Amino acid sequence: MDISKQSGRTRREALGLLGGGVAAFGAGIMPRSALAQGDDKVLTEALVLRDPDIPAAGNIDGDITIVEWFDYNCPYCRKLDPELRQVVQDDGKVRLVLKDWPILGPVSKVAARMALAAKYQDKFLKAHEAMIGVSSKLTEPRLAELLSGAGIDMDRLNRDLAGNAKAIDAILARNNDQAKAFGFTGTPSFIVGKFRVPGILTMAEFEMVIADARKAKASN
């Protein structure tokens, strides 16, 4: 999606776009097509919103969860990241779950595995911020440089990569299965509460979807 085409959109136009492009999921309202393409055990609300193997950012006790499927080499993910973090911070009651979906080549897969390995030293978010915050295409030497500079113990990381390879690969497979089942075709893609948002939103649009998610939750 072309970010430049969104900058001049009015509130009414944004609401129209969201109304047409956002779908809901959850008990009884998850699209049948999504279930048909994936394993019900992978697509449970608990695993989509609260996967115990993925650390959460923002308010971990928040009333609304945003899940992002992203790739470290995705320029749109990088551009959006500070704005999304600002929305989460300003709201104060949003959990943010970051799901690595490395679809842009081998280095993306290496980056995703390194980020997930960093969680074993409680530094997943530091690793994430270090790699998502660059503007140039990532390479394996650059990944090591970024993570080391962020205070990641690289010897420990390499041990955890090897020792937890099956667990890390299972997370990435689960993330991939979920993204495909929801019909996502690229990064970034989101679930906000129980709304499916396949694409890029502005800060104002995120705030509107969060508000809609709260209304939907209150009506259930």
Side-chain angles (χ1 to χ4, degrees):
M1 184 179 296
D2 187 345
I3 297 174
S4 65
K5 292 180 180 178
Q6 298 196 19
S7 58
R9 188 179 298 131
T10 65
R11 177 182 172 85
R12 182 179 295 276
E13 289 169 339
L15 283 168
L17 170 70
L18 295 176
V22 178
F25 85 97
I29 56 174
M30 184 183 288
R32 284 185 177 275
S33 60
L35 287 174
Q37 295 173 37
D39 186 336
D40 291 6
K41 294 180 181 178
V42 173
L43 282 173
T44 63
E45 184 174 335
L47 273 181
V48 172
L49 299 181
R50 297 181 178 275
D51 191 323
D53 293 326
I54 300 177
N59 183 342
I60 60 173
D61 297 315
D63 62 336
I64 292 295
T65 297
I66 294 178
V67 184
E68 178 186 7
W69 281 262
F70 69 94
D71 186 303
Y72 285 112
N73 261 323
C74 167
Y76 299 120
C77 300
R78 294 171 178 170
K79 182 176 179 64
L80 184 68
D81 185 71
E83 296 181 358
L84 176 57
R85 293 297 188 114
Q86 190 65 52
V87 168
V88 171
Q89 180 178 322
D90 290 348
D91 183 280
K93 295 187 291 184
V94 173
R95 290 176 70 251
L96 177 61
V97 178
L98 300 162
K99 298 204 176 194
D100 297 86
W101 189 25
I103 56 176
L104 298 177
V107 175
S108 293
K109 293 179 181 178
V110 172
R113 297 186 79 253
M114 292 175 86
L116 290 170
K119 76 171 188 166
Y120 294 100
Q121 49 183 294
D122 295 323
K123 292 183 178 178
F124 170 80
L125 292 176
K126 283 191 174 183
H128 174 79
E129 290 166 2
M131 292 188 287
I132 205 71
V134 298
S135 57
S136 58
K137 190 174 180 65
L138 294 170
T139 63
E140 290 192 42
R142 181 66 172 140
L143 291 175
E145 179 183 332
L146 289 168
L147 294 180
S148 179
I152 309 299
D153 182 334
M154 297 305 292
D155 289 336
R156 166 82 187 270
L157 184 85
N158 289 327
R159 292 197 300 272
D160 287 330
L161 274 170
N164 299 285
K166 288 185 178 180
I168 291 169
D169 289 343
I171 294 170
L172 293 177
R174 191 155 66 239
N175 292 351
N176 180 67
D177 288 346
Q178 290 173 353
K180 288 185 174 180
F182 282 124
F184 296 146
T185 59
T187 54
S189 292
F190 301 89
I191 294 292
V192 181
K194 291 189 178 182
F195 291 102
R196 170 184 169 275
V197 185
I200 302 165
L201 300 182
T202 64
M203 291 177 69
E205 289 167 351
F206 266 120
E207 290 167 357
M208 285 187 279
V209 181
I210 290 168
D212 287 344
R214 285 201 171 101
K215 289 177 185 177
K217 183 177 181 180
S219 67
N220 289 340

